[in-house]
């Protein structure tokens, strides 16, 4: 049985706005069921362990999808989510791939998290895929290879676009604009010409998705790589 580690944020504050954030429910639920329905064993982890915060905006009726509704009625999945492992306790040797759902939370607590960086390095060193969606490619920004180069330098990557951040009114709130930072670190940034439309790509062991609509297709792309 293939094993995938999913890593979620533990951060719940949207800067100093007084609003809550966390992970985006669709970006967790859609990949979770792509993996589960394919017979993949899924393990959940987060920096703090326990229940990771869900962005309340992702639980509204407008944001609901078949997958989020399935999750809401899945008691076993909800229990598993409430008991994520502390990130410091997991090791790449136990898994075939790692997958990071987005939401704005990762911008604050996973950009420089040492346990996350350790895991990404371990997966890449073991020739295992590293997959990130929406804001989660932030986890790649400050990781360097053995020669001191950013691991996104010269690599095709995507992630939440500047225009998408502007559309949700958070460009001045987030600690950094993901598209700009991927480019600043040498990434070859690509995107769908239409905001919030699915777009995902693979460059070697790095698999990235642009936005919430890309979460299931990105998980399916990871499955294709694992099954090839």
């Amino acid at each position: 049985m293939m094993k995938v580690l999913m890593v979620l944020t533990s951060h719940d504050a949207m800067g100093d706005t007084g609003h809550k954030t966390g992970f985006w429910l669709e970006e967790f639920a859609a990949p979770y069921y792509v993996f589960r329905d394919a017979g993949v064993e899924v393990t959940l982890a987060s920096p703090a362990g326990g229940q990771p915060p869900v962005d309340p905006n992702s639980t509204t009726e407008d944001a609901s999808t078949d997958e989020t509704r399935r999750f809401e009625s899945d008691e076993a999945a909800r229990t598993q989510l409430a008991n994520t492992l502390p990130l410091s306790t997991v090791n790449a040797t136990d898994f075939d791939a790692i997958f990071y759902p987005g939401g704005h939370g990762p911008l604050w607590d996973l950009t420089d998290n040492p346990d996350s960086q350790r895991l990404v390095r371990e997966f890449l060193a073991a020739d295992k895929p590293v997959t990130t969606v929406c804001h989660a490619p932030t986890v790649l920004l400050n990781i360097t290879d053995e020669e001191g180069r950013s691991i996104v330098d010269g690599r095709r990557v995507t992630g939440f676009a500047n225009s998408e951040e502007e559309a949700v009114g958070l460009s001045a709130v987030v600690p950094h604009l993901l598209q700009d930072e991927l480019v600043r670190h040498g990434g070859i940034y690509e995107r769908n010409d239409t905001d919030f439309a699915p777009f995902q790509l693979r460059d070697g062991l790095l698999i990235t998705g642009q936005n919430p609509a890309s979460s299931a297709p990105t998980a399916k792309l990871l499955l294709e790589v694992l099954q090839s």
Side-chain angles (χ1 to χ4, degrees), residues 173-211:
V173 175
V174 293
H176 52 268
L177 293 173
L178 181 58
Q179 177 180 339
D180 286 351
E181 286 301 292
L182 287 169
V183 171
R184 189 173 72 84
H185 284 78
I188 303 169
Y189 181 84
E190 300 179 23
R191 56 160 295 172
N192 193 308
D193 290 336
T194 302
D195 282 350
F196 304 107
F199 183 78
Q200 58 283 331
L201 57 82
R202 175 194 179 192
D203 189 325
L205 294 171
L206 296 183
I207 300 171
T208 49
Q210 182 180 331
N211 47 37

Side-chain angles (χ1 to χ4, degrees), residues 21 34-35 38 52 73 81 95 107 109 134 136 153 159 162 185 190 197 203 212 215 224:
T21 189
V34 166
F35 299 142
S73 62
L81 181 66
F95 305 97
L107 296 177
D109 73 341
C134 199
D153 188 11
N162 288 355
H185 284 78
E190 300 179 23
D203 189 325
S215 54
E224 292 174 11

Side-chain angles (χ1 to χ4, degrees), residues 133-153:
V133 169
C134 199
H135 288 90
T138 193
V139 307
L140 307 174
L141 291 177
N142 297 323
I143 301 176
T144 55
D145 62 19
E146 294 177 352
E147 298 175 353
R149 295 175 54 195
S150 168
I151 60 170
V152 302
D153 188 11

Side-chain angles (χ1 to χ4, degrees), residues 61-121:
E61 183 60 34
D62 288 345
S64 294
T65 66
D66 289 345
E67 290 82 9
T68 62
R69 286 185 284 271
R70 179 180 174 184
F71 171 76
E72 293 293 351
S73 62
D74 186 341
E75 184 176 350
R78 291 167 63 87
T79 298
Q80 185 181 13
L81 181 66
N83 294 278
T84 66
L85 299 175
L87 203 53
S88 61
T89 67
V90 295
N91 296 287
T93 52
D94 297 325
F95 305 97
D96 299 296
I98 189 170
F99 188 103
Y100 288 84
H104 284 89
L107 296 177
W108 277 274
D109 73 341
L110 286 173
T111 302
D112 292 304
N113 182 280
D115 291 307
S116 175
Q117 292 177 337
R118 168 183 59 82
L119 283 166
V120 171
R121 291 191 182 97

Side-chain angles (χ1 to χ4, degrees), residues 118-133:
R118 168 183 59 82
L119 283 166
V120 171
R121 291 191 182 97
E122 289 177 353
F123 275 91
L124 295 177
D127 290 324
K128 297 177 179 179
V130 172
T131 306
T132 61
V133 169

